[in-house]
Amino acid sequence: MSKLLEVKDLAVSFNTYNGEVQAVRGVNFELNKGETLAIVGESGSGKSVTTSALMGLLPKPAGFVKSGQILYQGEDLVGKSNKEMAKIRGKEISMVFQDPMSSLNPTMKIGNQIMEGLIKHQNMNRTEAYKKAIELLDLVGIPNPEIRAKQFPHQFSGGMRQRVVIAIALACNPKILIADEPTTALDVTIQAQILELMKSIQKETDSAIIFITHDLGVVANVADRVAVMYAGKIVEVGTVDDIFYNPKHPYTWGLIGSMPTLDSSEDELFTIPGSPPDLLNPPKGDAFAPRNKFALEIDGVMEPPMFKVSDTHYAATWLLHPDAPKIEPPESVKKRMHGFAKTGGDE
Ligand code: ADP
Ligand code: MG
C-alpha cells in the first residue's frame, strides 16, 4: 500500500485569554491510497481541529500548529503559505463539512458553484466545466441534473444539499476526501444513503477518505481502519475488526458499550462517566484515568505509550503492559462485540 498522508506528532494549540488550549497533543496516523480511515471520539476530542490543520484552515491567529509534520505524498504541509495551501485544497485534499448550508453560497446557482473549482483548478472553459458539473450531479445521485444545476441551494432538501457538497468536493478528483461529521445533521435513512454514496464514489475514483464522527456505530460499515481519539490524542488505532472484535482501550470499551443495540433494553449500558479533561491544563499521566474504572496507579503518574497489539493494532493503555493485571472488557461490551461479529461480514 502506498502512503498518501503521514501525520507525525501533530500538536495544535489555541491562544486564548485564559491561556493555551492544547487541543491536539501529539497525533500520529497514516492514510493509504484508496483507504477509508475513521476518526472517532466524543465531542471536543480534537477531531475537527486535526482536520482543520490538515487543510491549513486553523482560525488565525489564535490557532497554530505547535509541532509535528503533515506529510502529503512526502511533502510537509505545515508552514505552507495560504497561497500554497489554496492550491492543495480542493485539488489534492478536499473537505465535506457537517452543515451543507454553510458551505454553499445561497445566492449562486448550484451548477455555477460546482463549475467554480473546475475553472480555477482544472483550467476548464465554461462549456467543459458545465459538462463536468452535470456529470458530477449525476454521479452523486441527483436526478435531472440539467434542471437542478440551474437551481439555488434552498430548492434542495438537506440530503440533496449534502450530495451537492460532495459533488463540489469531488470536482477536481482529490486524492483525499475529508468528511467531518457529514451526516449528523441528516435523518438516519438519509445518513445511510450518503454513506453508501461515499463508498460507491470511492470505488469509482479510488480516493482515500478520512471520515470523522462521534458515532462509533456508523463506522463499522464504512471504514477500513479506525482511530479512536480522546483529549487530543489517538488512544487506539486498528482495523475495523481490531476495534470492534478485540478492543483494548477502556475508552473504546466505553464507546462500544454505550452503543444502543436492538436487544439491549434490559441490560445495563457500559457508559463513560464524567467528562473530558480541561485542555488548558491537561492532566499528568493518562488523561482518561479519572473516568476509567480500570485505572492503575501508574495512570496518575505517567502517560501510557502506544503498545503494539498486532501489526495493525495499537493502543495507549497501561493495561497492555506485560506486568498489568489481565482485565477483560465488561460483559455488556462483550455482548456488543459479539453482536458485531454476528451481523458483520454480510457485504
Ligand atoms: P471535536 O471535533 O472532536 O468535537 P474540536 O476539534 O472541535 O473537537 O475541539 C477540540 C478542542 O479544541 C476543544 O476542547 C475545543 O474547546 C478546542 N477549540 C477548538 N476551537 C477552538 C478555538 N477557536 N479556540 C479555543 N479552543 C478551541
Ligand atoms: Mg468536530
Side-chain angles (χ1 to χ4, degrees), residues 47-285:
K47 307 181 299 293
S48 294
V49 171
T50 302
T51 57
S52 301
L54 299 185
M55 297 289 286
L57 289 174
L58 289 170
K60 285 180 182 142
F64 60 99
V65 173
K66 197 177 172 185
S67 59
Q69 292 178 302
I70 299 169
L71 300 173
Y72 172 67
Q73 298 187 323
E75 193 183 348
D76 197 355
L77 302 185
V78 175
K80 285 221 183 284
S81 68
N82 266 337
K83 211 173 151 191
E84 290 170 312
M85 281 312 290
K87 283 190 200 144
I88 290 169
R89 271 197 302 270
K91 190 162 182 274
E92 306 288 332
I93 308 178
S94 72
M95 183 141 178
V96 177
F97 295 92
Q98 179 172 353
D99 174 12
M101 216 41 190
S102 67
S103 39
L104 292 173
N105 180 343
T107 65
M108 197 172 171
K109 287 177 186 163
I110 290 297
N112 288 337
Q113 299 197 45
I114 302 175
M115 287 163 64
E116 253 189 343
L118 294 166
I119 292 167
K120 193 167 108 197
H121 286 305
Q122 309 278 78
N123 288 323
M124 287 189 186
N125 63 35
R126 288 195 65 82
T127 316
E128 291 164 338
Y130 177 77
K131 195 167 158 256
K132 175 81 183 181
I134 300 298
E135 275 173 32
L136 284 161
L137 286 174
D138 191 44
L139 175 72
V140 299
I142 293 184
N144 307 316
E146 280 96 354
I147 296 167
R148 296 300 248 166
K150 296 189 183 68
Q151 295 181 336
F152 293 93
H154 73 265
Q155 293 170 286
F156 288 67
S157 67
M160 285 291 158
R161 267 181 220 140
Q162 194 56 292
R163 285 170 192 260
V164 172
V165 174
I166 291 173
I168 293 173
L170 290 171
C172 299
N173 305 319
K175 297 204 176 60
I176 303 176
L177 181 65
I178 302 176
D180 191 349
E181 313 237 13
T183 59
T184 13
L186 305 170
D187 80 50
V188 184
T189 339
I190 312 285
Q191 275 192 35
Q193 286 171 12
I194 296 284
L195 292 176
E196 262 168 46
L197 170 68
M198 290 186 58
K199 288 310 282 181
S200 75
I201 288 171
Q202 184 177 39
K203 277 199 193 112
E204 270 179 58
T205 60
D206 202 32
S207 57
I209 296 179
I210 299 179
F211 189 87
I212 310 278
T213 177
H214 63 274
D215 183 354
L216 191 57
V218 305
V219 157
N221 298 316
V222 288
D224 301 307
R225 286 192 303 127
V226 181
V228 178
M229 229 179 144
Y230 184 74
K233 296 197 166 185
I234 290 175
V235 296
E236 182 158 10
V237 63
T239 63
V240 166
D241 284 2
D242 293 334
I243 299 296
F244 283 99
Y245 305 151
N246 190 25
K248 293 295 183 191
H249 200 289
Y251 180 64
T252 311
W253 296 349
L255 292 180
I256 292 175
S258 46
M259 284 189 315
T261 60
L262 288 177
D263 57 354
S264 66
S265 45
E266 323 88 78
D267 68 15
E268 75 182 288
L269 288 176
F270 176 72
T271 50
I272 311 166
S275 49
D278 178 5
L279 295 175
L280 268 172
N281 297 297
K284 217 171 80 172

Side-chain angles (χ1 to χ4, degrees), residues 30-48:
E30 49 189 64
L31 181 71
N32 296 305
K33 214 168 157 245
E35 144 179 272
T36 300
L37 171 74
I39 303 181
V40 185
E42 282 169 299
S43 172
S45 52
K47 307 181 299 293
S48 294

